[in-house]
Amino acid sequence: WSKQLDGAILGPIEQVDLYRNKRLQLAFTTTKSFQVLDRNGKAVSGLSKTGMRTSSTFAVFDYDKQRDYRILLSSDKSLNMYDHRMKKISGWKKTKLSGALAYPPKHIRIGNRDYIALVHKSGKAELLHRTGRVRIKTPSDLKITQDLYPYQSGFVSIDNKNRLVQLSTTGKMTKTALPYETRYTLAANKNTLVTQTENKVTINNQLVELDFGVYAPPQIQVVNNRTYILIWDNQSGKVYVYNRDAKLLDSFPVSGEGWVMLGQSKPGSAIYLASRNNRQELRFYKIP
């Protein structure tokens, strides 16, 4: 099927099970609306929202993996939380923003506590409770250039002075100067930290130097309890996959550019890498 939309899609397309019957839906925002389509491409009645802006973001949270979804929508300076029927959550306290968000909101769980991370285009960072109240107060002069990620027992990002910023759950902050003056990108999860600048990639303090190219920001994916770091060069059309020890997997790099992702048909089955090549073809590789 195909569907004419009212504008370009912004950000990710999330797969959800709003009716808890395994008949999945697709949720996304465009430059003009928030939409939910069923698997036949038809709009799900009562779940769309119009009047979105080009700066809109959205996120779907499933706190306890029970498909009791919370949908967080931002548009310009407004922020609203909805349930899976698109009814506003009455207990949500933060409905106004100081400016547009740079990334979709993110749910992070550390220990038995939940945090909602917001990063503004201005560089302001906020860490909220599930109710929208402030959970950790961040310094007003902190300006970050990357998204907030969980790392070890706290949070990590990069500030506008090229420093690695780590924030504990008690609000204690440390800043570490990065070794190169060029712009960095970042990816992290609880046990893995990846930074990249030009052709230099650091994975858990292990430096990897690649050929010069035009690299997309690194990605971390965990499949079958194994951590994979995905790096690709849009200039040469090469995809690299490393493990947490900064070791390149056998048979890599392979052809791919634009985007790349890992997936599998069911838990425990073979893992495949999907990518696009310069002829606009999809390619699939089985991970060794």
Side-chain angles (χ1 to χ4, degrees), residues 82-202:
Y82 301 87
D83 65 15
H84 67 281
R85 296 184 179 87
M86 289 308 292
K87 304 297 182 184
K88 284 187 178 181
I89 301 296
S90 59
W92 178 254
K93 303 301 181 183
K94 187 176 181 63
T95 58
K96 296 185 182 300
L97 298 170
S98 60
L101 297 181
Y103 307 97
K106 183 181 293 182
H107 167 239
I108 297 171
R109 177 167 288 175
I110 298 177
N112 60 358
R113 291 189 173 185
D114 294 298
Y115 303 83
I116 295 177
L118 306 179
V119 177
H120 296 246
K121 289 184 176 180
S122 66
K124 176 183 177 181
E126 296 185 87
L127 287 162
L128 309 178
H129 191 277
R130 279 166 59 163
T131 63
R133 297 185 185 277
V134 173
R135 180 143 229 176
I136 299 176
K137 188 175 181 180
T138 55
S140 59
D141 60 347
L142 175 64
K143 304 295 181 184
I144 60 176
T145 61
Q146 300 293 303
D147 205 353
L148 273 170
Y149 292 90
Y151 181 56
Q152 296 178 342
S153 57
F155 309 89
V156 67
S157 187
I158 293 173
D159 72 4
N160 59 349
K161 296 181 180 179
N162 248 13
R163 296 176 295 189
L164 191 73
V165 177
Q166 292 181 259
L167 187 68
S168 74
T169 54
T170 62
K172 181 181 178 181
M173 185 170 62
T174 59
K175 298 177 181 179
T176 305
L178 292 166
Y180 304 103
E181 296 182 356
T182 46
R183 182 179 181 272
Y184 277 80
T185 55
L186 170 78
N189 64 17
K190 182 179 178 180
N191 300 309
T192 304
L193 176 66
V194 182
T195 61
Q196 178 178 340
T197 181
E198 295 186 332
N199 66 319
K200 298 176 179 64
V201 180
T202 302

Side-chain angles (χ1 to χ4, degrees), residues 206-222:
Q206 300 295 314
L207 177 64
V208 176
E209 291 201 44
L210 303 171
D211 295 334
F212 283 100
V214 180
Y215 289 93
Q219 288 188 15
I220 298 174
Q221 284 192 248
V222 179

Side-chain angles (χ1 to χ4, degrees), residues 26 29 61 76 95 137 164 192 198 217 235 243 256 274 276:
L26 302 174
T29 53
F61 302 148
D76 273 348
T95 58
K137 188 175 181 180
L164 191 73
T192 304
E198 295 186 332
Q235 179 171 286
N243 64 18
R276 185 186 72 194

